[in-house]
Amino acid sequence: VNRLIEQQFGYARDELLGQPVDMLFPDSVRGLHLRHRASFMAAPVARPMGLGTDLFARRRDGSVFPVEVGLNPIETAQGTFVVVGVVDITARRQIEQSNKETLEDQLEFERLIAELSVEFINLPADAVDDAIRLALRRIGEALALDRCTFYNIEADGSLTRPLGWARDGIPPNPVILQAGDRFPWALEKARAGEVICFSSLDEVPDAIDRASYMAMGTRSALTIPLSVSGNVIGAVGFNMVTSERAWEPDTVHRLRVVAAVFGNVLARRQGDEVLGQTLTEVKRLSAQVQAENVYLRREVQERLGSGVIVGQSPALQRVLEQVRQVAATDSTVLLLGETGTGKELFAAQIHEQSARRGRSMVRVNCSAIPSTLMESELFGREKGAFTGALARQIGRFELAEQSTIFLDEIGDLPQDVQVKLLR
């Protein structure tokens, strides 16, 4: 239920949600409505309801008014949903006799907006830009415009990701990277959420903007900012190049409706981008957690099978004192000693007495990893980086972020890898 339904019927949204739709129809036409509904459910395709018959709706105060109802089924994973568009045609009935051509134009535009709204609901993300271009063309042709442009407004005032349409023989709007330099007045109004509207360049108060519009060939323009969560992040502009145009209130209203549709598209696109970034980060963290889990299990097994360093000799006590001193720093530590003297045990002691002891220490046996794989083991690799790299792999250094890495037998590293490690 949107705000127009609330205004048309006099109900608050919460009063309608969850209620049977029959409450919006007068008793005299409920039987007719039930027949129409049954017919639609038997063959749910987009169409007007009760074609060829007069439909009426009932407001909260009991008053009855004529309506036109459009039905648009949408297939989702949860089943078939129906978007119902209700148009109050009271005013239309009043002017039918005097302005039939205007009426048909209005109906066609209403159908166009309904179709665009439904098309954008289930549109795949990679098809949105093409759909926007097609929508701009249809709107421009329906309202006899020369140019239509849809774009994002970045925080620095740059206009990005422009999508446009121009009538044959009309050059498209150029890409304006820094709108603040060429359109300071228009950018300020757009950021404030105000509609920019002028029928002739004489109405543009800023000389810089006026010169910029003239250079683009624009003689009349209507630009409507697009807001998402209270922030203006885009705009849709409608231009006249071949002649000046007075923007009638009805036309401005129609284009505001168009802008609302594009605002929803912009919000969805922004949401899809944030979701994509979040999923990428989740995958990265998941891979890191899995890799850490392997090391953590090894760490637990090794700790269960080993004890603490025990000894009273002056030499051992001197080394343990050095361990305490160096553990408090972030310095790189070099442990020297023959094989079997306990270098790994002392490395574990340094880690346990450091500020990084909350995370598992990463151990690398440099002599046990083939030289051809050493670089990717230490620094990681991306999927497809070389033949056989079937998946992304986190390097040991990335895994040891905010922890300690122990390179056992570092002298066995190939010299080229040692150079990269030092750099």
Side-chain angles (χ1 to χ4, degrees), residues 144-202:
L145 302 171
D146 288 339
R147 278 194 306 229
C148 304
T149 309
F150 172 86
Y151 48 85
N152 287 24
I153 300 178
E154 306 297 338
D156 61 358
S158 60
L159 308 183
T160 62
R161 304 176 70 171
L163 299 170
W165 165 85
R167 191 175 297 281
D168 291 343
I170 303 295
N173 271 331
V175 177
I176 307 298
L177 297 179
Q178 290 298 329
D181 297 336
R182 298 184 58 183
F183 297 93
W185 167 76
L187 182 60
E188 182 179 359
K189 286 180 69 69
R191 282 178 162 173
E194 300 179 24
V195 174
I196 303 157
C197 181
F198 60 87
S199 298
S200 71
L201 291 177
D202 294 337

Short mmCIF file of all heavy atoms in Angstrom, two decimals, residues 144-202:
data_model
loop_
_atom_site.label_atom_id
_atom_site.label_comp_id
_atom_site.label_asym_id
_atom_site.label_seq_id
_atom_site.Cartn_x
_atom_site.Cartn_y
_atom_site.Cartn_z
N ALA A 144 7.46 14.01 -25.79
CA ALA A 144 8.03 14.88 -26.82
C ALA A 144 9.21 15.67 -26.29
O ALA A 144 9.32 16.89 -26.49
CB ALA A 144 6.97 15.81 -27.39
N LEU A 145 10.14 15.00 -25.61
CA LEU A 145 11.35 15.63 -25.11
C LEU A 145 12.49 15.42 -26.10
O LEU A 145 12.40 14.58 -27.00
CB LEU A 145 11.72 15.03 -23.75
CG LEU A 145 10.65 15.13 -22.65
CD1 LEU A 145 11.05 14.31 -21.44
CD2 LEU A 145 10.44 16.59 -22.26
N ASP A 146 13.57 16.18 -25.92
CA ASP A 146 14.73 16.04 -26.80
C ASP A 146 15.82 15.17 -26.20
O ASP A 146 16.50 14.43 -26.91
CB ASP A 146 15.31 17.42 -27.13
CG ASP A 146 14.42 18.20 -28.08
OD1 ASP A 146 13.59 17.58 -28.78
OD2 ASP A 146 14.53 19.45 -28.12
N ARG A 147 16.02 15.27 -24.87
CA ARG A 147 17.08 14.52 -24.21
C ARG A 147 16.63 14.13 -22.80
O ARG A 147 15.94 14.90 -22.13
CB ARG A 147 18.37 15.34 -24.09
CG ARG A 147 19.23 15.36 -25.30
CD ARG A 147 20.63 15.89 -25.01
NE ARG A 147 20.68 17.19 -24.38
CZ ARG A 147 21.44 18.21 -24.79
NH1 ARG A 147 22.21 18.06 -25.84
NH2 ARG A 147 21.43 19.35 -24.15
N CYS A 148 17.06 12.94 -22.38
CA CYS A 148 16.81 12.49 -21.01
C CYS A 148 18.11 11.86 -20.50
O CYS A 148 18.74 11.08 -21.21
CB CYS A 148 15.69 11.46 -20.93
SG CYS A 148 14.12 12.00 -21.63
N THR A 149 18.48 12.18 -19.27
CA THR A 149 19.74 11.66 -18.72
C THR A 149 19.54 11.27 -17.26
O THR A 149 18.90 11.98 -16.49
CB THR A 149 20.86 12.72 -18.80
OG1 THR A 149 20.94 13.23 -20.13
CG2 THR A 149 22.20 12.10 -18.42
N PHE A 150 20.13 10.13 -16.91
CA PHE A 150 20.08 9.59 -15.54
C PHE A 150 21.52 9.43 -15.07
O PHE A 150 22.35 8.87 -15.79
CB PHE A 150 19.35 8.24 -15.58
CG PHE A 150 19.37 7.47 -14.29
CD1 PHE A 150 18.43 7.69 -13.31
CD2 PHE A 150 20.33 6.48 -14.07
CE1 PHE A 150 18.43 6.96 -12.14
CE2 PHE A 150 20.34 5.75 -12.90
CZ PHE A 150 19.39 6.00 -11.93
N TYR A 151 21.86 9.94 -13.88
CA TYR A 151 23.25 9.85 -13.42
C TYR A 151 23.32 9.89 -11.90
O TYR A 151 22.38 10.30 -11.21
CB TYR A 151 24.09 10.99 -14.01
CG TYR A 151 23.48 12.36 -13.88
CD1 TYR A 151 23.64 13.12 -12.72
CD2 TYR A 151 22.73 12.92 -14.92
CE1 TYR A 151 23.07 14.38 -12.61
CE2 TYR A 151 22.16 14.16 -14.81
CZ TYR A 151 22.33 14.90 -13.65
OH TYR A 151 21.76 16.13 -13.53
N ASN A 152 24.48 9.45 -11.38
CA ASN A 152 24.77 9.50 -9.95
C ASN A 152 25.44 10.84 -9.61
O ASN A 152 26.18 11.39 -10.43
CB ASN A 152 25.70 8.37 -9.52
CG ASN A 152 25.00 7.02 -9.49
OD1 ASN A 152 24.01 6.82 -10.18
ND2 ASN A 152 25.52 6.11 -8.71
N ILE A 153 25.21 11.33 -8.40
CA ILE A 153 25.90 12.51 -7.89
C ILE A 153 26.79 12.06 -6.74
O ILE A 153 26.28 11.60 -5.71
CB ILE A 153 24.93 13.60 -7.43
CG1 ILE A 153 24.03 14.05 -8.59
CG2 ILE A 153 25.69 14.79 -6.85
CD1 ILE A 153 22.99 15.09 -8.19
N GLU A 154 28.11 12.16 -6.92
CA GLU A 154 29.04 11.74 -5.88
C GLU A 154 29.22 12.84 -4.85
O GLU A 154 28.83 13.99 -5.04
CB GLU A 154 30.39 11.36 -6.50
CG GLU A 154 30.30 10.31 -7.61
CD GLU A 154 29.75 8.98 -7.11
OE1 GLU A 154 29.82 8.72 -5.88
OE2 GLU A 154 29.24 8.20 -7.94
N ALA A 155 29.87 12.48 -3.72
CA ALA A 155 30.06 13.43 -2.63
C ALA A 155 30.91 14.63 -3.04
O ALA A 155 30.74 15.73 -2.51
CB ALA A 155 30.69 12.72 -1.43
N ASP A 156 31.84 14.43 -4.00
CA ASP A 156 32.70 15.53 -4.43
C ASP A 156 32.07 16.39 -5.53
O ASP A 156 32.71 17.29 -6.07
CB ASP A 156 34.04 14.99 -4.91
CG ASP A 156 33.90 14.06 -6.12
OD1 ASP A 156 32.75 13.80 -6.55
OD2 ASP A 156 34.93 13.59 -6.63
N GLY A 157 30.81 16.10 -5.87
CA GLY A 157 30.12 16.88 -6.89
C GLY A 157 30.26 16.36 -8.29
O GLY A 157 29.70 16.95 -9.22
N SER A 158 30.98 15.28 -8.48
CA SER A 158 31.12 14.71 -9.82
C SER A 158 29.87 13.92 -10.20
O SER A 158 29.20 13.34 -9.34
CB SER A 158 32.37 13.82 -9.88
OG SER A 158 32.27 12.76 -8.95
N LEU A 159 29.58 13.92 -11.49
CA LEU A 159 28.44 13.18 -12.02
C LEU A 159 28.99 11.92 -12.68
O LEU A 159 29.81 12.00 -13.60
CB LEU A 159 27.68 14.03 -13.04
CG LEU A 159 27.26 15.43 -12.56
CD1 LEU A 159 26.44 16.12 -13.64
CD2 LEU A 159 26.47 15.36 -11.26
N THR A 160 28.56 10.76 -12.20
CA THR A 160 29.12 9.51 -12.68
C THR A 160 28.03 8.59 -13.20
O THR A 160 26.85 8.79 -12.96
CB THR A 160 29.87 8.79 -11.55
OG1 THR A 160 28.95 8.47 -10.48
CG2 THR A 160 30.98 9.66 -10.99
N ARG A 161 28.44 7.57 -13.93
CA ARG A 161 27.59 6.52 -14.48
C ARG A 161 26.39 7.10 -15.23
O ARG A 161 25.24 6.73 -14.98
CB ARG A 161 27.11 5.60 -13.36
CG ARG A 161 28.25 4.99 -12.58
CD ARG A 161 27.80 4.14 -11.42
NE ARG A 161 27.18 2.91 -11.86
CZ ARG A 161 26.86 1.91 -11.04
NH1 ARG A 161 27.12 2.02 -9.76
NH2 ARG A 161 26.31 0.82 -11.50
N PRO A 162 26.64 8.05 -16.15
CA PRO A 162 25.51 8.64 -16.88
C PRO A 162 24.88 7.65 -17.85
O PRO A 162 25.58 6.89 -18.51
CB PRO A 162 26.15 9.82 -17.62
CG PRO A 162 27.57 9.40 -17.83
CD PRO A 162 27.93 8.59 -16.61
N LEU A 163 23.57 7.66 -17.91
CA LEU A 163 22.82 6.86 -18.88
C LEU A 163 21.85 7.81 -19.55
O LEU A 163 21.09 8.51 -18.86
CB LEU A 163 22.07 5.71 -18.18
CG LEU A 163 22.94 4.69 -17.44
CD1 LEU A 163 22.07 3.77 -16.61
CD2 LEU A 163 23.78 3.89 -18.42
N GLY A 164 21.86 7.86 -20.88
CA GLY A 164 21.03 8.86 -21.52
C GLY A 164 20.38 8.40 -22.81
O GLY A 164 20.67 7.33 -23.35
N TRP A 165 19.46 9.23 -23.27
CA TRP A 165 18.79 9.05 -24.55
C TRP A 165 18.64 10.43 -25.18
O TRP A 165 18.42 11.44 -24.48
CB TRP A 165 17.40 8.42 -24.36
CG TRP A 165 16.54 8.54 -25.60
CD1 TRP A 165 16.50 7.71 -26.68
CD2 TRP A 165 15.59 9.59 -25.89
NE1 TRP A 165 15.62 8.16 -27.61
CE2 TRP A 165 15.03 9.31 -27.16
CE3 TRP A 165 15.18 10.73 -25.19
CZ2 TRP A 165 14.08 10.14 -27.73
CZ3 TRP A 165 14.24 11.55 -25.77
CH2 TRP A 165 13.69 11.24 -27.03
N ALA A 166 18.78 10.50 -26.48
CA ALA A 166 18.57 11.74 -27.21
C ALA A 166 17.83 11.43 -28.51
O ALA A 166 18.05 10.40 -29.14
CB ALA A 166 19.89 12.43 -27.51
N ARG A 167 16.94 12.35 -28.88
CA ARG A 167 16.19 12.18 -30.12
C ARG A 167 17.15 12.21 -31.31
O ARG A 167 18.23 12.81 -31.25
CB ARG A 167 15.15 13.30 -30.23
CG ARG A 167 14.12 13.10 -31.34
CD ARG A 167 13.08 14.21 -31.28
NE ARG A 167 12.33 14.17 -30.02
CZ ARG A 167 11.33 13.33 -29.77
NH1 ARG A 167 10.96 12.46 -30.70
NH2 ARG A 167 10.70 13.37 -28.62
N ASP A 168 16.77 11.55 -32.39
CA ASP A 168 17.61 11.51 -33.59
C ASP A 168 17.99 12.93 -34.01
O ASP A 168 17.13 13.83 -34.10
CB ASP A 168 16.88 10.81 -34.74
CG ASP A 168 16.73 9.32 -34.49
OD1 ASP A 168 17.45 8.80 -33.62
OD2 ASP A 168 15.87 8.69 -35.16
N GLY A 169 19.28 13.13 -34.24
CA GLY A 169 19.76 14.44 -34.66
C GLY A 169 20.13 15.35 -33.51
O GLY A 169 20.66 16.44 -33.73
N ILE A 170 19.86 14.91 -32.27
CA ILE A 170 20.19 15.71 -31.09
C ILE A 170 21.40 15.09 -30.42
O ILE A 170 21.39 13.89 -30.09
CB ILE A 170 19.02 15.75 -30.09
CG1 ILE A 170 17.75 16.29 -30.78
CG2 ILE A 170 19.38 16.58 -28.86
CD1 ILE A 170 17.87 17.72 -31.22
N PRO A 171 22.48 15.85 -30.20
CA PRO A 171 23.65 15.27 -29.53
C PRO A 171 23.33 14.93 -28.08
O PRO A 171 22.60 15.67 -27.42
CB PRO A 171 24.72 16.38 -29.63
CG PRO A 171 23.92 17.65 -29.77
CD PRO A 171 22.69 17.27 -30.54
N PRO A 172 23.85 13.82 -27.56
CA PRO A 172 23.59 13.47 -26.17
C PRO A 172 24.29 14.43 -25.22
O PRO A 172 25.22 15.15 -25.61
CB PRO A 172 24.17 12.06 -26.04
CG PRO A 172 25.22 12.00 -27.11
CD PRO A 172 24.70 12.84 -28.24
N ASN A 173 23.85 14.45 -23.97
CA ASN A 173 24.51 15.28 -22.97
C ASN A 173 25.94 14.80 -22.78
O ASN A 173 26.18 13.61 -22.64
CB ASN A 173 23.77 15.21 -21.63
CG ASN A 173 22.68 16.25 -21.53
OD1 ASN A 173 22.77 17.32 -22.13
ND2 ASN A 173 21.64 15.94 -20.78
N PRO A 174 26.92 15.73 -22.76
CA PRO A 174 28.30 15.31 -22.52
C PRO A 174 28.48 14.86 -21.07
O PRO A 174 27.68 15.21 -20.20
CB PRO A 174 29.11 16.58 -22.81
CG PRO A 174 28.15 17.70 -22.55
CD PRO A 174 26.79 17.19 -22.96
N VAL A 175 29.51 14.06 -20.83
CA VAL A 175 29.80 13.61 -19.46
C VAL A 175 30.46 14.76 -18.71
O VAL A 175 31.50 15.28 -19.09
CB VAL A 175 30.74 12.39 -19.48
CG1 VAL A 175 31.09 11.97 -18.06
CG2 VAL A 175 30.09 11.25 -20.24
N ILE A 176 29.81 15.20 -17.62
CA ILE A 176 30.33 16.29 -16.79
C ILE A 176 30.97 15.67 -15.55
O ILE A 176 30.28 15.16 -14.66
CB ILE A 176 29.22 17.27 -16.38
CG1 ILE A 176 28.46 17.76 -17.62
CG2 ILE A 176 29.80 18.43 -15.59
CD1 ILE A 176 29.31 18.52 -18.60
N LEU A 177 32.29 15.69 -15.48
CA LEU A 177 32.96 15.07 -14.35
C LEU A 177 32.82 15.90 -13.08
O LEU A 177 32.50 15.38 -12.01
CB LEU A 177 34.44 14.83 -14.68
CG LEU A 177 34.69 13.86 -15.85
CD1 LEU A 177 36.19 13.72 -16.09
CD2 LEU A 177 34.08 12.50 -15.55
N GLN A 178 33.07 17.20 -13.17
CA GLN A 178 32.98 18.07 -12.01
C GLN A 178 31.85 19.09 -12.22
O GLN A 178 32.05 20.15 -12.78
CB GLN A 178 34.31 18.79 -11.77
CG GLN A 178 35.42 17.88 -11.27
CD GLN A 178 35.08 17.24 -9.93
OE1 GLN A 178 34.38 17.82 -9.10
NE2 GLN A 178 35.56 16.02 -9.73
N ALA A 179 30.66 18.74 -11.76
CA ALA A 179 29.51 19.61 -11.96
C ALA A 179 29.64 20.90 -11.17
O ALA A 179 29.09 21.94 -11.56
CB ALA A 179 28.23 18.88 -11.56
N GLY A 180 30.37 20.87 -10.06
CA GLY A 180 30.51 22.07 -9.25
C GLY A 180 31.20 23.20 -9.97
O GLY A 180 30.96 24.37 -9.67
N ASP A 181 32.08 22.88 -10.93
CA ASP A 181 32.79 23.92 -11.67
C ASP A 181 31.92 24.54 -12.76
O ASP A 181 32.04 25.74 -13.02
CB ASP A 181 34.05 23.32 -12.31
CG ASP A 181 35.03 22.82 -11.27
OD1 ASP A 181 34.98 23.30 -10.13
OD2 ASP A 181 35.83 21.92 -11.61
N ARG A 182 31.05 23.73 -13.38
CA ARG A 182 30.27 24.22 -14.51
C ARG A 182 28.81 24.53 -14.17
O ARG A 182 28.16 25.30 -14.86
CB ARG A 182 30.33 23.20 -15.65
CG ARG A 182 31.75 22.98 -16.18
CD ARG A 182 31.75 22.04 -17.36
NE ARG A 182 30.91 22.51 -18.45
CZ ARG A 182 30.69 21.83 -19.56
NH1 ARG A 182 31.27 20.64 -19.73
NH2 ARG A 182 29.91 22.30 -20.51
N PHE A 183 28.30 23.89 -13.10
CA PHE A 183 26.90 24.11 -12.72
C PHE A 183 26.79 24.31 -11.21
O PHE A 183 26.13 23.53 -10.51
CB PHE A 183 26.04 22.91 -13.15
CG PHE A 183 25.99 22.68 -14.63
CD1 PHE A 183 26.87 21.81 -15.26
CD2 PHE A 183 25.06 23.36 -15.41
CE1 PHE A 183 26.83 21.60 -16.62
CE2 PHE A 183 25.00 23.15 -16.78
CZ PHE A 183 25.89 22.28 -17.39
N PRO A 184 27.42 25.35 -10.68
CA PRO A 184 27.39 25.54 -9.21
C PRO A 184 25.98 25.76 -8.67
O PRO A 184 25.62 25.23 -7.62
CB PRO A 184 28.29 26.77 -9.00
CG PRO A 184 28.31 27.47 -10.33
CD PRO A 184 28.22 26.40 -11.36
N TRP A 185 25.18 26.55 -9.37
CA TRP A 185 23.81 26.83 -8.92
C TRP A 185 22.95 25.57 -8.98
O TRP A 185 22.27 25.22 -8.02
CB TRP A 185 23.21 27.93 -9.79
CG TRP A 185 21.72 28.11 -9.63
CD1 TRP A 185 21.07 28.70 -8.59
CD2 TRP A 185 20.72 27.66 -10.56
NE1 TRP A 185 19.71 28.65 -8.81
CE2 TRP A 185 19.46 28.03 -10.00
CE3 TRP A 185 20.74 27.01 -11.79
CZ2 TRP A 185 18.26 27.75 -10.65
CZ3 TRP A 185 19.55 26.74 -12.43
CH2 TRP A 185 18.33 27.10 -11.86
N ALA A 186 23.00 24.85 -10.10
CA ALA A 186 22.18 23.66 -10.26
C ALA A 186 22.59 22.57 -9.27
O ALA A 186 21.74 21.88 -8.69
CB ALA A 186 22.29 23.14 -11.69
N LEU A 187 23.90 22.40 -9.05
CA LEU A 187 24.37 21.36 -8.13
C LEU A 187 23.93 21.66 -6.70
O LEU A 187 23.52 20.76 -5.96
CB LEU A 187 25.89 21.23 -8.21
CG LEU A 187 26.51 20.15 -7.32
CD1 LEU A 187 25.97 18.77 -7.69
CD2 LEU A 187 28.04 20.17 -7.41
N GLU A 188 24.00 22.93 -6.33
CA GLU A 188 23.57 23.31 -4.98
C GLU A 188 22.09 23.02 -4.77
O GLU A 188 21.68 22.50 -3.72
CB GLU A 188 23.86 24.80 -4.74
CG GLU A 188 23.50 25.28 -3.34
CD GLU A 188 23.81 26.74 -3.12
OE1 GLU A 188 24.33 27.39 -4.05
OE2 GLU A 188 23.53 27.26 -2.03
N LYS A 189 21.27 23.34 -5.77
CA LYS A 189 19.83 23.07 -5.65
C LYS A 189 19.56 21.57 -5.61
O LYS A 189 18.73 21.08 -4.82
CB LYS A 189 19.09 23.71 -6.83
CG LYS A 189 18.95 25.22 -6.74
CD LYS A 189 18.21 25.77 -7.94
CE LYS A 189 16.74 25.38 -7.96
NZ LYS A 189 15.97 26.02 -6.89
N ALA A 190 20.26 20.80 -6.45
CA ALA A 190 20.04 19.36 -6.48
C ALA A 190 20.42 18.73 -5.15
O ALA A 190 19.69 17.87 -4.62
CB ALA A 190 20.86 18.74 -7.62
N ARG A 191 21.55 19.13 -4.59
CA ARG A 191 21.98 18.58 -3.30
C ARG A 191 21.01 18.93 -2.18
O ARG A 191 20.91 18.20 -1.19
CB ARG A 191 23.38 19.08 -2.95
CG ARG A 191 24.48 18.36 -3.71
CD ARG A 191 25.83 18.92 -3.37
NE ARG A 191 26.91 18.00 -3.73
CZ ARG A 191 28.20 18.31 -3.66
NH1 ARG A 191 28.57 19.52 -3.25
NH2 ARG A 191 29.10 17.42 -3.99
N ALA A 192 20.31 20.04 -2.34
CA ALA A 192 19.30 20.42 -1.34
C ALA A 192 17.97 19.72 -1.59
O ALA A 192 17.01 19.94 -0.85
CB ALA A 192 19.11 21.94 -1.37
N GLY A 193 17.91 18.89 -2.62
CA GLY A 193 16.68 18.15 -2.92
C GLY A 193 15.66 18.97 -3.66
O GLY A 193 14.48 18.59 -3.72
N GLU A 194 16.05 20.09 -4.28
CA GLU A 194 15.12 20.97 -4.98
C GLU A 194 15.11 20.66 -6.48
O GLU A 194 16.15 20.35 -7.07
CB GLU A 194 15.51 22.44 -4.78
CG GLU A 194 15.52 22.88 -3.32
CD GLU A 194 15.95 24.33 -3.19
OE1 GLU A 194 15.79 25.09 -4.17
OE2 GLU A 194 16.45 24.71 -2.12
N VAL A 195 13.92 20.76 -7.07
CA VAL A 195 13.78 20.56 -8.50
C VAL A 195 14.36 21.75 -9.25
O VAL A 195 14.13 22.91 -8.87
CB VAL A 195 12.30 20.36 -8.88
CG1 VAL A 195 12.15 20.30 -10.40
CG2 VAL A 195 11.76 19.09 -8.25
N ILE A 196 15.13 21.50 -10.30
CA ILE A 196 15.70 22.56 -11.14
C ILE A 196 14.83 22.66 -12.38
O ILE A 196 14.71 21.70 -13.15
CB ILE A 196 17.15 22.21 -11.53
CG1 ILE A 196 17.98 22.02 -10.27
CG2 ILE A 196 17.74 23.28 -12.42
CD1 ILE A 196 19.21 21.18 -10.48
N CYS A 197 14.22 23.80 -12.58
CA CYS A 197 13.26 23.95 -13.68
C CYS A 197 13.38 25.34 -14.29
O CYS A 197 13.31 26.34 -13.57
CB CYS A 197 11.84 23.70 -13.16
SG CYS A 197 10.56 23.83 -14.43
N PHE A 198 13.59 25.39 -15.59
CA PHE A 198 13.55 26.68 -16.29
C PHE A 198 13.08 26.47 -17.72
O PHE A 198 13.38 25.46 -18.35
CB PHE A 198 14.91 27.38 -16.27
CG PHE A 198 16.04 26.62 -16.91
CD1 PHE A 198 16.29 26.72 -18.28
CD2 PHE A 198 16.85 25.80 -16.15
CE1 PHE A 198 17.33 26.02 -18.87
CE2 PHE A 198 17.89 25.10 -16.73
CZ PHE A 198 18.14 25.21 -18.09
N SER A 199 12.29 27.41 -18.19
CA SER A 199 11.75 27.34 -19.54
C SER A 199 12.63 28.03 -20.55
O SER A 199 12.55 27.77 -21.74
CB SER A 199 10.34 27.95 -19.58
OG SER A 199 9.46 27.23 -18.74
N SER A 200 13.45 28.98 -20.09
CA SER A 200 14.41 29.65 -20.97
C SER A 200 15.66 29.95 -20.15
O SER A 200 15.62 29.99 -18.92
CB SER A 200 13.84 30.95 -21.54
OG SER A 200 13.74 31.93 -20.53
N LEU A 201 16.77 30.14 -20.83
CA LEU A 201 18.03 30.40 -20.14
C LEU A 201 18.00 31.70 -19.34
O LEU A 201 18.79 31.87 -18.41
CB LEU A 201 19.17 30.43 -21.16
CG LEU A 201 19.51 29.08 -21.82
CD1 LEU A 201 20.60 29.26 -22.88
CD2 LEU A 201 19.94 28.07 -20.78
N ASP A 202 17.11 32.61 -19.70
CA ASP A 202 17.01 33.86 -18.95
C ASP A 202 16.60 33.63 -17.50
O ASP A 202 16.84 34.49 -16.63
CB ASP A 202 16.00 34.80 -19.62
CG ASP A 202 16.46 35.25 -20.99
OD1 ASP A 202 17.70 35.22 -21.22
OD2 ASP A 202 15.61 35.62 -21.82
#
